[in-house]
Amino acid sequence: MFEAAELGQKTSKAEYEAALPELRSRLLAAQRVLRETNRSVIVILSGVEGAGKSEVVNRLHEWLDARGLVTHAFWRDSDEEHERPRYWRFWRALPVRGTIGILFGSWYTRPIIDRVFGKSRRADLDRELQRIVFFERMLIDDGAVIIKLWLHLTKDEAKQRPKKGSIFGKFTKMYDRFAAVSERAIRNSDTAEAPWRIVEATDQRFRDLTVGRIVLEALESLSAPRATPVPEEAEESVARSSKKATQTVLDRIDLTKTISSKKYERDLEKLQAHVAKLAWKAWDKRRSTVIVFEGSDAAGKGGAIRRLIAPIDARLYRVISVAAPTDEERAHHYLWRFWRQLPRDGAMTLYDRSWYGRVLVERVEGFARTDEWSRAYREINDFEEQLVDHGAVLIKFWLHISKAEQLRRFKERQKIAFKQHKITDEDWRNREKWKPYELAVNDMVGRTSSATAPWTVVAANDKRLARLQVLETVVQALR
């Protein structure tokens, strides 16, 4: 694979100086066009140690407008990064729409290094590469352009480069092993949408001009019209996808169960005491907890959350109420705002509504195209799998009430002064789409409930019974 980058290609000083003015002018013009689009550009810079990756980064900063360019170097993992799933650091570094992000080191670095030094098996590398291909496909579907550059040196040339520390020396001594592992990684992650470009890096001028031209080609391609799937009417797509669903998972929930006030108070105190102890044990064992609350409007999510956090030390948890995305959040992939808020090891984060809005409100209300919410199930499954793989305890609740009970609670909120802020015109509009939401919930539970990340559907007509079930489920999961 690397033979094509071992041809000894060179660029003279005269050729370099003659080509540079036009290249820089076109790069800046293409970058201005990028600013007006809803897309981002991600430049992944990898390759042999000593091939000049730092110099290439500096050159791109020199040739491009720094106001629309950000570089992130991944070479030393911080404690903050170690205490979250590995991809957390990469999600935080993704560029805003209309800008360019250069990743000096990337999601390829650790899998390759671990395999080179025998810390992982070939199967581990291949599995990680599958995740990478899916991750890149997800970003591309969201509008990103990914440029993957591999700067290459021959073995002899690599040995002749000045030593820059112990890491450089280790890679030089293991050149053959590194080349073999890297070739496998490149081959298994080279796709039509995100191909690898191998650049011969022996001659600095040839290397820099080649990289500049590859980036220019990608930027100028943005001016070509992008094929966008024709959006369907949300109501039609919901109905069509669930034609056979005469019953849903919600129809099997018994909403008639109740509990006495005396038993509720007794059980509540006991369960809250357990939660308080288990939260500290999770902290001691450095196991993070992520709890998702979804449900119908007025289903009692807020009340359940308050009873859950009441006994927990406030230093251990954070509650995040998810509303419509901000301008900053809309400038990224929809999962970005959830990745960046993940708790550190040992801490707990509770989401009052969550990433499932993509397959619920955005689906039913038509805020997302059919192709967008359809692929979100797999994206969400992958996200949650990474949380669990990292060691997080993931708990997901759907609080379900009847349509009649919702109406009663809506009217109650209108009458009681301190509850009036909870009822809005949007709540009444959502109520008119009760059946489409039921069908969307049915699909959501069916396609995102797994052994490691199951849904717990809570009968919430009786608020007290629902709160106890939430507490019991959290206690069981933490135990």
Side-chain angles (χ1 to χ4, degrees), residues 40 101 117 156 276-277 292 306:
S40 60
F117 289 100
D156 290 340
K277 292 178 182 178
V292 171
R306 286 194 296 275

Side-chain angles (χ1 to χ4, degrees), residues 27-40:
L27 279 170
L28 290 170
Q31 191 180 9
R32 285 193 293 271
V33 173
L34 171 64
R35 289 197 195 102
E36 305 304 317
T37 71
N38 197 36
R39 308 180 69 180
S40 60

Side-chain angles (χ1 to χ4, degrees), residues 21-60:
E22 181 186 0
L23 175 61
R24 295 185 64 175
S25 177
R26 288 173 63 186
L27 279 170
L28 290 170
Q31 191 180 9
R32 285 193 293 271
V33 173
L34 171 64
R35 289 197 195 102
E36 305 304 317
T37 71
N38 197 36
R39 308 180 69 180
S40 60
V41 174
I42 301 168
V43 181
I44 293 175
L45 200 57
S46 299
V48 177
E49 289 299 318
K53 295 187 285 290
S54 293
E55 290 87 343
V56 168
V57 170
N58 292 338
R59 199 70 66 236
L60 290 175

Side-chain angles (χ1 to χ4, degrees), residues 235 238-239 241-242 245-253 255 295-297 359-361 363-365 377 398-404 406 430-446 457 461:
E235 296 282 0
V238 170
S241 66
S242 303
T246 54
Q247 283 196 327
T248 70
V249 66
L250 300 179
D251 294 324
R252 300 200 301 268
I253 306 303
L255 296 175
S296 310
D297 293 328
V359 296
L360 293 173
V361 64
R363 165 181 168 168
V364 175
E365 302 296 338
Y377 298 110
W398 176 267
L399 273 61
H400 179 53
I401 58 176
S402 67
K403 194 173 183 180
Q406 185 189 63
N430 291 343
R431 180 175 165 77
E432 294 174 1
K433 297 182 179 180
W434 184 272
K435 188 59 178 178
Y437 272 106
E438 278 193 333
L439 297 176
V441 172
N442 189 64
D443 285 351
M444 176 192 74
V445 172
V457 181
N461 266 20

Side-chain angles (χ1 to χ4, degrees), residues 300-313:
K301 295 182 292 297
I305 290 172
R306 286 194 296 275
R307 271 67 179 186
L308 176 57
I309 63 175
I312 302 175
D313 191 301

Side-chain angles (χ1 to χ4, degrees), residues 217-479:
E217 178 186 0
L219 287 173
E220 290 187 336
S221 71
L222 293 172
S223 59
R226 183 176 181 232
T228 302
V230 178
E232 301 179 66
E233 289 296 325
E235 296 282 0
E236 294 178 5
S237 62
V238 170
R240 182 165 55 257
S241 66
S242 303
K243 276 184 178 179
K244 297 180 181 179
T246 54
Q247 283 196 327
T248 70
V249 66
L250 300 179
D251 294 324
R252 300 200 301 268
I253 306 303
D254 184 358
L255 296 175
T256 63
K257 293 181 181 179
T258 59
I259 190 173
S260 68
S261 298
K262 186 175 181 180
K263 180 172 173 52
Y264 168 71
E265 294 296 341
R266 184 176 65 250
D267 290 355
L268 178 66
E269 183 178 358
K270 186 188 303 182
L271 287 168
Q272 286 181 328
H274 286 315
V275 167
K277 292 178 182 178
L278 289 166
W280 275 115
K281 285 187 178 181
W283 172 262
D284 292 338
K285 291 183 177 292
R286 313 308 294 162
R287 296 290 297 275
S288 60
T289 306
V290 176
I291 307 178
V292 171
F293 286 87
E294 294 282 358
S296 310
D297 293 328
K301 295 182 292 297
I305 290 172
R306 286 194 296 275
R307 271 67 179 186
L308 176 57
I309 63 175
I312 302 175
D313 191 301
R315 293 170 292 183
L316 300 183
Y317 71 84
R318 181 185 178 199
V319 178
I320 297 174
S321 296
V322 177
T326 63
D327 290 343
E328 182 187 22
E329 291 165 345
R330 278 194 294 269
H332 293 86
H333 189 281
Y334 74 94
L335 285 175
W336 176 81
R337 61 171 167 162
F338 303 109
W339 267 99
R340 67 200 291 252
Q341 294 168 334
L342 292 179
R344 300 182 73 151
D345 288 347
M348 178 184 295
T349 297
L350 302 93
Y351 291 91
D352 184 351
R353 300 201 183 277
S354 67
W355 42 91
Y356 283 99
R358 187 68 156 189
V359 296
L360 293 173
V361 64
E362 291 186 38
R363 165 181 168 168
V364 175
E365 302 296 338
F367 298 145
R369 299 191 310 268
T370 303
D371 64 294
E372 291 175 325
W373 62 256
S374 294
R375 65 174 178 260
Y377 298 110
R378 189 180 172 196
E379 296 171 349
I380 288 170
N381 285 335
D382 179 75
F383 170 41
E384 293 179 349
E385 183 179 320
Q386 292 186 59
L387 299 184
V388 175
D389 285 349
H390 180 70
V393 178
L394 176 60
I395 310 167
K396 303 186 298 189
F397 293 109
W398 176 267
L399 273 61
H400 179 53
I401 58 176
S402 67
K403 194 173 183 180
E405 175 62 16
Q406 185 189 63
L407 179 61
R408 187 193 69 77
R409 294 183 186 183
F410 277 11
K411 290 181 177 179
E412 180 185 68
R413 288 180 174 184
Q414 287 181 320
K415 293 178 181 177
I416 301 175
F418 64 84
K419 290 188 176 183
Q420 288 175 356
H421 71 282
K422 293 184 177 183
I423 186 73
T424 66
D425 291 340
E426 186 176 344
D427 294 327
W428 288 104
R429 285 195 300 270
N430 291 343
R431 180 175 165 77
E432 294 174 1
K433 297 182 179 180
W434 184 272
K435 188 59 178 178
Y437 272 106
E438 278 193 333
L439 297 176
V441 172
N442 189 64
D443 285 351
M444 176 192 74
V445 172
R447 298 181 68 177
T448 63
S449 194
S450 65
T452 55
W455 275 100
T456 298
V457 181
V458 179
N461 266 20
D462 185 323
K463 292 183 179 181
R464 294 173 298 189
L465 196 63
R467 292 163 184 168
L468 292 182
Q469 185 178 353
V470 166
L471 285 162
E472 287 169 354
T473 303
V474 172
V475 167
Q476 182 180 0
L478 290 179
R479 276 179 175 166

